[in-house]
Amino acid sequence: MNTAMPHSCSRAEGRYTHPVLFYGSPHKAGNTRRLVEQVCPGLPLAAEPEIISAYDLRIRPCCDCRSCYHGECPLNDDGMGELLEKFQQADLLICALPIYFNGLPAPMKAIVDRSQQLFVKRFVQREAVSSPLRPGILLTTAGSPDRISNSGGGAMEGAYSSPAVSVSGGVREIIRMFYGCLGVSLAGHIALSDMDQSPDIAVDPSQIQEIRRRLQEWQI
């Protein structure tokens, strides 16, 4: 997915010169794309984001071979090594994805799992990190309501062990951990849900303003 955003995301007063958008939807013009187009113009960007589409890559899943505990991942020649370099070079990382089955789309899940190699370096081997934490943003869309109750009736009644499951909350924690492996801290999350019933993209402007404020004040 190498096309630029239809509406310019860059701003003359922006401070982020190398933003990267990690795009996890198979649809080039679906709900997730429209959410990105609403949010990005409100961010303090000095350049258009470099767009990396998970569905354009062919990243193999982690096979838990444990090679990363003793050296480099032997699978990195599938593009994962280059992808990690791009993530490391970004001064702002934006993840945008639809929520499928209360989780990540499969290509994005494979990439997140393969970041185990960074988890090992940062948190197991305790390699020194010279650069400060960079900010990251998460944008999610979901067809179901964000809170799904067992007592709601219909096909999903009784499918969950807890009274109400947060669809976006679980994904947010996965991305938070992924960001931690990359040296990125989650600065904000905008979640749209129940889009099967209400497909209109309507982001509360105050959410964008709050994320913008955090990004402007971020110490980088």
Side-chain angles (χ1 to χ4, degrees), residues 1 38 51 53 55 61 84 107 118 124-125 133 154 179 193 210:
M1 183 175 182
Q38 274 208 21
I51 304 172
S53 174
Y55 278 86
L84 290 178
L118 298 183
V124 177
Q125 299 172 346
L133 284 175
Y179 276 176
S193 59
E210 175 60 19

Side-chain angles (χ1 to χ4, degrees), residues 62 75 79 109 139 158 174:
C62 175
L75 303 180
K109 180 63 164 60
L139 308 176
I174 294 172

Side-chain angles (χ1 to χ4, degrees), residues 57-59 75-84 114:
L57 304 173
R58 293 295 180 267
I59 303 300
L75 303 180
N76 277 351
D77 60 357
D78 63 357
M80 186 67 186
E82 180 182 355
L83 179 61
L84 290 178
R114 288 279 297 283

Side-chain angles (χ1 to χ4, degrees), residues 13-171:
E13 71 274 15
R15 64 178 301 201
Y16 293 92
T17 59
H18 193 183
V20 168
L21 170 61
F22 184 29
Y23 188 78
S25 172
H27 304 294
K28 307 299 186 185
N31 291 333
T32 303
R33 176 72 176 226
R34 291 190 290 134
L35 175 57
V36 169
E37 291 171 350
Q38 274 208 21
V39 173
C40 272
L43 303 181
L45 307 182
E48 297 282 347
E50 178 180 1
I51 304 172
I52 300 172
S53 174
Y55 278 86
D56 288 345
L57 304 173
R58 293 295 180 267
I59 303 300
R60 287 170 283 182
C62 175
C63 61
D64 195 28
C65 66
R66 305 298 177 98
S67 295
C68 58
Y69 283 80
H70 311 288
E72 296 300 317
C73 174
L75 303 180
N76 277 351
D77 60 357
D78 63 357
M80 186 67 186
E82 180 182 355
L83 179 61
L84 290 178
E85 288 183 10
K86 288 182 178 292
F87 287 156
Q88 300 286 13
Q89 293 166 2
D91 56 3
L92 171 64
L93 184 56
I94 305 166
C95 274
L97 62 128
I99 296 175
Y100 292 159
F101 223 81
N102 284 16
L104 305 178
M108 184 172 274
K109 180 63 164 60
I111 292 167
V112 169
D113 286 350
R114 288 279 297 283
S115 71
Q116 172 73 9
Q117 57 190 291
L118 298 183
F119 178 89
V120 170
K121 290 181 180 180
R122 183 178 288 264
F123 300 110
V124 177
Q125 299 172 346
R126 299 289 182 179
E127 287 191 5
V129 179
S130 57
S131 59
L133 284 175
R134 297 159 291 140
I137 298 168
L138 174 60
L139 308 176
T140 60
T141 58
S144 62
D146 193 50
R147 291 282 177 179
I148 302 178
S149 173
N150 269 330
S151 60
M156 298 305 293
E157 184 170 5
Y160 297 93
S161 58
S162 58
V165 174
S166 172
V167 172
S168 63
V171 167

Side-chain angles (χ1 to χ4, degrees), residues 12 14 54 78 122 172 185 213 216:
D78 63 357
R122 183 178 288 264
R172 179 173 60 250
S185 182
R213 181 190 65 78
Q216 288 173 325

Side-chain angles (χ1 to χ4, degrees), residues 199-210:
D200 293 335
I201 302 292
V203 180
D204 184 347
S206 66
Q207 290 184 283
I208 302 176
Q209 292 168 5
E210 175 60 19

